[in-house]
Amino acid sequence: MRICLLFQGDFPPEPRLARTMRFLREQDHEVFLFCDHRVRERPERETREGVHIQRVRHATQHTRAFSRLATLPIFWNPIWIKQFLRFVAAHRFDLIQAVNLTMAPLAIIAGDRFGLPVIYDMYEPYPYALRSWKLRGLFNRVVRNARAAEVLDRWCMRRADRVIVVAEEAADYAQRMGAPAERIAVLHNTADVDYLLAQPVDPDIVARYRQHFAIVYTGMVGHERGLAAPVEAMARLSSQVAGVRLVIVGGGPYEAELRQMIAARNLQQMVEVTGWVEHTRFPSYIAAAAVCIVPQPANPYIDHTLPNKLFDYMALGKPVVVSDAKPLARIVRECRCGEVFASDSAESFVAAIQRLITSGEPYGENGRQAVLRRYNWKASTATLQRLYDDLLAGRK
């Protein structure tokens, strides 16, 4: 097939999208990606690992700030509409696959115009995400309005030919929003084990934490990630666990506030925030970890998502400590690969670490085996292949 992927961000580094594209190329599909152009040093058009990438064209005569505003990645932006419809018209695609609600309506409009089936690939329930982020200001009230997003999501759920979700809990959400059950496919946000294990491990990073009991988090540093509880727990853990150190690998909008919190509690010797790190270096920090954490607190947003970092940690044989968000707690208890703590509770986090240390359960090996048997990208893509086959058969 000739497949068009539509993504509101620039690419790389979105890992789930990268895994999807690698799978499609391995199946000999011809893959095109239409995406944003946030890194202006990148070309508007290029072929990367066999994928043809077209980025939104900016008006070069304007300042960068004005050009970014003019090409804001929202489906009703006339620049995106015009350029994407031209892109679809120029190629004989077999289907369009849109990532998240920000682009799904544009994909459906293009699908209707050119007679193409559309897949709505829902990485997260966007209305819940908007409420969780607690955005302020006139711009956010207009462009990122949670109520408007919910109305739009219901429209897309009913119109899309297929809806992909990352967890069983998200499938329930999709049905509540109007997607017929037979059109929904659960594609877990699992690890591409071969690719992950092929990433080089930096021995210097591993050596840096050899004398520590390193508690490692990797990913975006945002308010919704629940990092305050592990930080607050460190004062107590330092007196109970020799050499304990919390290593937060990543950066983001909460980074400055988190650093202030660490300084105010005089925890600089126990908590490290690395700042932005290339995704390819995450395996080195995970290799150095005694335990890895996913502290995103339970709420309507997190209860319908499943971060890929959980499966990365498990694939690399690390015990995990996760919040009691529904998908996280369900998988960790099912696989016996770690401990669960009460969301946003430093006291509960301390207790979970203590249980993990004193237990004789082989958490790391349990998680690794669960990934090898079930929670791996190769197994997940069987669902993806059936979905494409069904759509192609219908199109023929």
Side-chain angles (χ1 to χ4, degrees), residues 186-213:
V186 178
L187 182 68
H188 292 120
N189 207 6
T190 47
D192 185 338
V193 178
D194 292 340
Y195 180 80
L196 184 64
L197 295 179
Q199 298 303 307
V201 172
D202 186 338
D204 293 335
I205 292 176
V206 176
R208 189 186 311 165
Y209 303 104
R210 189 165 289 139
Q211 304 304 316
H212 295 282
F213 183 89

Side-chain angles (χ1 to χ4, degrees), residues 161-392:
D161 295 275
R162 294 291 187 278
V163 177
I164 297 175
V165 297
V166 301
E168 286 76 4
E169 291 82 358
D172 294 338
Y173 165 86
Q175 279 192 262
R176 292 196 305 272
M177 298 296 282
E182 65 273 12
R183 294 186 188 177
I184 302 170
V186 178
L187 182 68
H188 292 120
N189 207 6
T190 47
D192 185 338
V193 178
D194 292 340
Y195 180 80
L196 184 64
L197 295 179
Q199 298 303 307
V201 172
D202 186 338
D204 293 335
I205 292 176
V206 176
R208 189 186 311 165
Y209 303 104
R210 189 165 289 139
Q211 304 304 316
H212 295 282
F213 183 89
I215 301 172
V216 172
Y217 167 88
T218 59
M220 177 66 71
V221 178
H223 276 277
E224 75 282 2
R225 302 303 169 113
L227 292 165
V231 169
E232 290 178 0
M234 290 305 293
R236 286 184 56 187
L237 280 172
S238 64
S239 63
Q240 299 173 16
V241 181
V244 68
R245 188 178 185 88
L246 175 61
V247 186
I248 298 171
V249 184
Y254 186 47
E255 183 180 346
E257 187 175 336
L258 195 64
R259 290 182 186 277
Q260 291 173 0
M261 176 183 173
I262 293 164
R265 289 161 175 75
N266 198 27
L267 297 173
Q268 295 93 325
Q269 299 304 312
M270 303 171 218
V271 183
E272 174 186 353
V273 182
T274 66
W276 183 258
V277 168
E278 287 292 335
H279 192 267
T280 53
R281 299 182 67 196
F282 284 3
S284 298
Y285 285 94
I286 297 171
V291 56
C292 294
I293 61 173
V294 188
Q296 281 99 316
N299 58 47
Y301 170 37
I302 302 301
D303 281 344
H304 294 86
T305 59
L306 194 53
N308 66 286
K309 62 171 65 68
L310 172 64
F311 297 113
D312 289 351
Y313 299 158
M314 292 166 63
L316 293 173
K318 296 299 176 179
V320 296
V321 170
V322 303
S323 79
D324 54 2
K326 291 178 182 177
L328 295 171
R330 172 173 55 81
I331 288 176
V332 167
R333 286 169 176 151
E334 168 201 314
C335 300
R336 301 181 65 84
C337 61
E339 293 289 341
V340 178
F341 74 100
S343 296
D344 294 322
S345 171
E347 183 177 349
S348 182
F349 183 85
V350 170
I353 293 290
Q354 290 172 333
R355 290 196 303 273
L356 186 141
I357 292 172
T358 57
S359 173
E361 187 75 40
Y363 295 114
E365 181 60 18
N366 289 349
R368 193 178 74 86
Q369 289 299 326
V371 166
L372 292 178
R373 289 193 305 268
R374 178 183 178 187
Y375 291 114
N376 61 78
W377 186 244
K378 188 173 183 180
S380 297
T381 52
T383 299
L384 198 59
Q385 186 60 60
R386 286 194 299 271
L387 184 150
Y388 292 133
D389 289 345
D390 288 348
L391 287 177
L392 183 59

Side-chain angles (χ1 to χ4, degrees), residues 6-74:
L6 177 59
F7 179 52
Q8 82 272 14
D10 202 345
F11 183 85
E14 171 53 51
R16 182 176 168 94
L17 182 60
R19 290 196 297 272
T20 300
M21 293 193 298
R22 281 198 301 272
F23 166 74
L24 293 174
R25 291 294 301 127
E26 288 167 0
Q27 303 304 309
D28 293 325
H29 299 302
E30 192 172 5
V31 184
F32 294 75
L33 171 65
F34 190 90
C35 63
D36 201 1
H37 197 179
R38 296 177 185 177
V39 182
R40 294 290 293 277
E41 290 71 27
R42 291 173 177 164
E44 287 182 0
R45 185 181 300 170
E46 66 171 320
T47 299
R48 182 188 287 260
E49 297 182 3
V51 176
H52 309 293
I53 301 175
Q54 175 67 58
R55 298 183 173 92
V56 168
R57 188 176 304 108
H58 288 255
T60 56
Q61 69 270 26
H62 297 299
T63 65
R64 177 172 294 194
F66 179 86
S67 187
R68 284 291 304 124
L69 181 63
T71 56
L72 193 69
I74 46 181

